[in-house]
Amino acid sequence: MAGNIITIIGGKGGVGKSQVAANLAFAYAAELRAKTLLLDFDQRACGDQNIITGIKSKKNLKELADFSGAIDPKSIQLFTTDHKNGVSFIGMPTEPIAANQVNVESLGKVLKAITNIYPVTIIDGGSELTPLTLKALEFSTLIFIVVSPDLLAVNQSKRLYTELVTMLFPKDMIQLVVNQAVNGHPVSPEVIGNQIGKPVFHAIPRDDANCVAALSRSIPAIVAGKGPFSSGVTDCVRKLIQKNVLKTLEKIAKPQDVGNQGSANKEGPSDDKKKDMWTELKSRIHKSLVEEMDLKKQDDNDPKAKIILREQTKKMVVELLGKEDTKAILATREDMNRIVKEILDEALGLGPLEDMLSDKSISEIMVVGPKKIYFEQKGKVRKSEVTFTNDRQVMNVIERIVAPIGRRIDEKTPYVDARLADGSRVHAIIPPCAIDGCVITIRKFPDKRLDYKDLVKFGSMTEGMADFLRISVEAHRNMVVSGGTGSGKTTLINMLGGFIQSNERIITCEDSAELNFPQDHVVRLETRPPSLEGDGEIDIRCLVKQTLRMRPDRIVVGECRGGETLDMLQAMNTGHDGSMTTVHSNTPRDAISRLETLVQYAGAGLPQKAIKEMIASAVHMIVQQSRLDDGSRKVLYITEIGGMQGEVVTLQDIFVFKQEGMGKDGKIIGKFMATGFIPKFIEKLEQKGYKIPRGLFTNQ
């Protein structure tokens, strides 16, 4: 017959939790007339049990956790120190550093094994829910929260009880024991039970004289002799035995076993049916949650308020699940944890996208209707197993994204550009334009701003190319970063912006703010969509015109895709050297053609040759960034614009990437090469006294 584990915890220090745990072990040994195991899991008060019991542990918990052999009645004796009164003891290391190094996962295997060796194991779990204490609770049949009759202890015990309930420990498994109870005290066991929301299981009388005497002699109070405290602990053990409390709790204390039986049961629901039941249960709980709580009443700018709302919502979800018949769906504690997390993510976050957003290795998320979610990881696009419940849930996520930044999406304007709190770019489009349901595309914003060292390490460019780009930016060259969608243009222009001197005033213009320069003096401007009446729209072209009145040293336009290109080129031509922008194109030559086309969007009616002359005069360099077949992003060309020859804008490559083949692992093999051409502006810089190594432009 398998034994049981009882873990003793306290809401705060000073409630006598360790003394109760030690004496409980000795009381059980006396009542059962069998060996009882006492384990010290309290990492904060390490060594206290050695003093309370008077047992000097020959081996400690860390050594037990590090033991690689099988735990059986013989091997466990290598670690236990036995007391003559029938208690075996393994203590915590007395050094705090060693105590914090106990292997938690290994102890899980130990706890599973000792239930086959000892009828009862008592664990002193401390007054904090550390990973070690949580591991003990996971294998426990019963949890005792020890509380003393003072308001602070009651308040902290209430917090601890709520935490355990929201962590899905069954309420029947958690029991309250009042220590140091005094007849006639205003904070009586009844008051404590009402405050915490759980009736007190047992009260142990106050007995300062006997407890202090026993402690001074390093003898457990039960061993030292009879007294109110000893009698109280013994009565508690007898109540547990007589009412068969542990046997009753065995069925609910270890939901993992239930899960194993459920999976082996042939009459259980099929995977498809379980999936449908799971979805229906989530929908019911979510509907009840909306009725019970005002989930919209939250301050998005107050992180503390968000945490409080999440905890309140979590508690409510657990209560609502408790009213449902979930045996067929939620077989294990892991299932319970998962469904609670999914409901919370849907109610307060971005639903199934939350885990992908928190995964640093995922760079892009693409939603196509409720049942198809794709993501890009390490340059490769994969399909996710998680899905949305329905179209309404996808729409809720879109509305949750756009509302805080004042954007809107409806049938009249069925698309929107927005951004998340971390700066990640979001595009959404809904029916009727999107035929298969709502579509969301999220380009994630990295936590750490990538600099040139990162791009060199990733193989996007060489150190020499990065040095040349730095010189070009510092020399106030007007630059256009060219590339396709997802090629890394924004990352590259962020890197180039990092090279700008800190004493210059930079003004950025974007549809949705993504650029993140390290300088202090940066003015960030963002477009605004039209109002419901159709007026009040502010586009990029308007912003570029405004920048000219704001004394900019550098103007950076996130992307030129319309008539603002003409204004940008005019700014570059009229004293704002060192400005930058990006365009969509596949080669530097295509970038020139693209700029010509975009200038015509302005409707100025300029002749073709005049447009070409303006481009040749305004733009000094084109940096071509591309995403290759293996998912890697590289700078394929750094090209200088040399002026006009007849009707043609002349281009001269300075650095190129030469592809040589494909490796067995699917990675592209190639090398960056300098063409040997030295840009014209280098000579001008040298005439001003700058020393620029000519070795940058060779392949040595």
Side-chain angles (χ1 to χ4, degrees):
M1 185 178 166
N4 299 112
I5 296 174
I6 302 174
T7 299
I8 319 296
I9 54 176
K12 63 185 281 289
V15 295
K17 170 256 326 156
S18 295
Q19 204 163 26
V20 169
N23 283 280
L24 209 62
F26 280 89
Y28 252 114
E31 292 299 313
L32 296 177
R33 302 194 178 187
K35 271 201 174 177
T36 304
L37 180 64
L38 174 63
L39 298 176
D40 186 2
F41 273 44
D42 191 344
Q43 290 168 298
R44 300 291 175 266
C46 45
D48 278 10
Q49 283 295 356
N50 300 44
I51 298 166
I52 295 167
T53 59
I55 306 172
K56 290 185 178 177
S57 184
K58 61 185 177 187
K59 295 272 185 180
N60 60 47
L61 209 65
K62 184 178 184 301
E63 291 166 308
L64 177 63
D66 294 339
F67 180 61
S68 56
I71 300 294
D72 54 40
K74 194 173 181 181
S75 63
I76 195 72
Q77 288 177 10
L78 299 170
F79 301 94
T80 57
T81 305
D82 295 335
H83 193 279
K84 62 180 182 180
N85 287 62
V87 174
S88 297
F89 174 61
I90 305 174
M92 178 66 69
T94 52
E95 291 294 324
I97 295 171
N100 288 320
Q101 290 173 346
V102 175
N103 188 321
V104 175
E105 290 308 313
S106 296
L107 272 183
K109 296 171 188 172
V110 171
L111 292 174
K112 195 173 183 180
I114 60 172
T115 54
N116 297 316
I117 304 170
Y118 295 93
V120 173
T121 300
I122 305 293
I123 297 177
D124 178 2
S127 52
E128 291 179 36
L129 293 180
T130 62
L132 190 61
T133 303
L134 288 172
K135 184 58 70 175
L137 299 181
E138 190 182 320
F139 286 89
S140 297
T141 307
L142 173 64
I143 302 168
F144 269 150
I145 297 178
V146 177
V147 54
S148 58
D150 73 80
L151 293 175
L152 286 177
V154 174
N155 185 48
Q156 290 303 317
S157 298
K158 183 180 179 181
R159 172 194 59 80
L160 190 62
Y161 176 69
T162 305
E163 245 178 282
L164 290 172
V165 170
T166 54
M167 290 169 81
L168 308 175
F169 286 98
K171 289 182 180 180
D172 291 342
M173 181 184 174
I174 309 161
Q175 297 295 335
L176 301 177
V177 171
V178 176
N179 188 30
Q180 302 169 8
V182 180
N183 286 333
H185 195 284
V187 186
S188 64
E190 291 74 25
V191 171
I192 291 170
N194 291 334
Q195 283 287 321
I196 296 175
K198 173 91 181 173
V200 170
F201 177 79
H202 189 73
I204 300 170
R206 185 166 187 164
D207 186 10
D208 290 345
N210 287 315
C211 285
V212 170
L215 201 58
S216 63
R217 293 166 58 200
S218 287
I219 298 173
I222 282 181
V223 177
K226 286 198 172 184
F229 176 81
S230 303
S231 301
V233 174
T234 303
D235 289 345
C236 181
V237 169
R238 285 174 182 166
K239 190 188 283 189
L240 287 170
I241 295 169
Q242 287 164 9
K243 291 190 174 182
N244 276 332
V245 173
L246 297 179
K247 196 173 273 187
T248 308
L249 291 175
E250 272 177 353
K251 296 169 187 175
I252 63 162
K254 296 179 181 177
Q256 294 90 341
D257 297 340
V258 180
N260 293 334
Q261 291 161 13
S263 60
N265 186 359
K266 292 180 182 178
E267 294 180 3
S270 65
D271 287 344
D272 288 341
K273 191 177 179 184
K274 190 174 178 182
K275 199 172 181 180
D276 292 339
M277 290 165 71
W278 181 280
T279 305
E280 286 170 16
L281 177 62
K282 280 204 305 180
S283 298
R284 286 199 304 274
I285 297 295
H286 196 275
K287 189 179 177 184
S288 302
L289 197 62
V290 171
E291 290 169 2
E292 295 279 347
M293 296 182 72
D294 184 3
L295 298 172
K296 291 182 179 178
K297 196 177 178 182
Q298 58 170 316
D299 185 354
D300 291 305
N301 298 317
D302 186 354
K304 207 170 183 180
K306 277 186 173 181
I307 293 166
I308 293 167
L309 180 65
R310 190 174 180 89
E311 285 306 313
Q312 289 172 344
T313 312
K314 187 177 181 182
K315 190 178 176 183
M316 182 64 70
V317 170
V318 173
E319 286 179 13
L320 292 170
L321 281 169
K323 297 173 186 174
E324 295 271 348
D325 182 12
T326 60
K327 288 179 184 175
I329 313 167
L330 309 178
T332 67
R333 188 171 290 156
E334 285 71 28
D335 287 341
M336 283 288 282
N337 281 321
R338 188 158 67 90
I339 199 165
V340 170
K341 183 183 182 303
E342 286 182 14
I343 293 167
L344 285 175
D345 287 344
E346 287 172 23
L348 304 174
L350 302 184
L353 306 184
E354 284 288 331
D355 287 337
M356 293 184 201
L357 287 166
S358 60
D359 188 338
K360 310 292 184 200
S361 64
I362 293 176
S363 56
E364 195 140 3
I365 301 165
M366 295 150 277
V367 179
V368 186
K371 300 301 176 189
K372 288 188 280 187
I373 302 176
Y374 297 89
F375 60 91
E376 183 184 309
Q377 193 171 37
K378 296 176 182 175
K380 298 290 182 184
V381 175
R382 298 177 174 87
K383 188 175 182 180
S384 170
E385 291 181 4
V386 297
T387 59
F388 285 94
T389 307
N390 48 42
D391 266 316
R392 182 65 247 175
Q393 195 191 349
V394 189
M395 192 65 197
N396 286 343
V397 166
I398 296 172
E399 287 171 352
R400 194 164 276 134
I401 291 169
V402 302
I405 56 170
R407 301 286 168 108
R408 61 185 180 80
I409 188 166
D410 48 40
E411 284 190 10
K412 189 178 178 184
T413 314
Y415 51 85
V416 69
D417 276 311
R419 67 178 186 277
L420 299 178
D422 65 354
S424 298
R425 189 173 75 197
V426 182
H427 178 270
I429 186 164
I430 63 171
C433 290
I435 297 166
D436 298 321
C438 302
V439 176
I440 309 172
T441 311
I442 301 176
R443 178 79 54 80
K444 282 177 67 180
F445 195 82
D447 289 342
K448 175 182 173 286
R449 198 181 68 84
L450 297 178
D451 58 18
Y452 76 94
K453 290 178 184 174
D454 295 309
L455 297 187
V456 170
K457 187 173 79 176
F458 297 151
S460 294
M461 63 177 72
T462 63
E463 193 87 45
M465 292 164 72
D467 288 339
F468 173 70
L469 289 173
R470 180 193 290 276
I471 292 164
S472 303
V473 172
E474 290 177 356
H476 286 80
R477 299 286 89 191
N478 291 326
M479 302 170 80
V480 172
V481 176
S482 160
T485 301
S487 60
K489 299 187 299 299
T490 306
T491 302
L492 185 58
I493 205 167
N494 256 325
M495 183 210 83
L496 294 172
F499 292 149
I500 298 172
Q501 292 93 325
S502 59
N503 61 346
E504 296 190 47
R505 178 175 166 87
I506 309 163
I507 302 180
T508 67
C509 307
E510 301 170 84
D511 277 325
S512 56
E514 291 178 273
L515 297 176
N516 179 24
F517 294 161
Q519 292 85 350
D520 187 48
H521 199 164
V522 179
V523 180
R524 302 171 75 205
L525 306 179
E526 188 178 57
T527 59
R528 188 180 75 184
S531 66
L532 287 167
E533 292 76 29
D535 52 17
E537 181 180 9
I538 298 171
D539 59 12
I540 285 276
R541 188 167 190 190
C542 177
L543 292 181
V544 173
K545 286 177 181 174
Q546 298 310 310
T547 61
L548 301 176
R549 300 183 180 94
M550 296 168 68
R551 200 215 165 274
D553 289 313
R554 311 246 187 176
I555 300 170
V556 181
V557 176
E559 185 181 340
C560 280
R561 56 167 77 116
E564 68 274 2
T565 310
L566 175 61
D567 301 296
M568 185 72 199
L569 292 174
Q570 285 180 324
M572 288 176 168
N573 260 328
T574 54
H576 299 98
D577 285 343
S579 296
M580 304 174 201
T581 188
T582 70
V583 295
H584 277 82
S585 59
N586 295 325
T587 65
R589 176 62 61 189
D590 289 347
I592 298 295
S593 302
R594 173 88 171 140
L595 288 171
E596 288 178 43
T597 307
L598 293 174
V599 167
Q600 290 172 347
Y601 282 12
L606 295 170
Q608 198 79 18
K609 189 174 182 184
I611 294 172
K612 287 183 177 180
E613 285 174 349
M614 184 190 292
I615 293 168
S617 168
V619 181
H620 301 130
M621 287 172 57
I622 296 173
V623 183
Q624 180 68 42
Q625 174 93 2
S626 293
R627 184 176 182 273
L628 304 183
D629 294 338
D630 63 351
S632 63
R633 294 165 172 85
K634 296 187 187 296
V635 175
L636 296 192
Y637 300 94
I638 297 178
T639 303
E640 184 181 44
I641 295 179
M644 292 281 290
Q645 267 190 355
E647 297 281 324
V648 180
V649 177
T650 60
L651 301 176
Q652 180 62 57
D653 295 334
I654 303 164
F655 293 95
V656 297
F657 176 75
K658 188 178 179 184
Q659 186 173 332
E660 296 172 338
M662 187 82 80
K664 291 178 182 177
D665 57 354
K667 295 288 182 185
I668 284 172
I669 300 169
K671 58 184 177 183
F672 294 101
M673 299 179 68
T675 61
F677 176 79
I678 296 172
K680 295 173 185 175
F681 77 90
I682 294 292
E683 293 176 6
K684 292 178 183 175
L685 285 176
E686 287 177 335
Q687 287 168 8
K688 292 179 181 177
Y690 290 95
K691 290 184 180 178
I692 296 163
R694 294 299 177 102
L696 281 176
F697 308 105
T698 65
N699 291 310
Q700 293 177 358

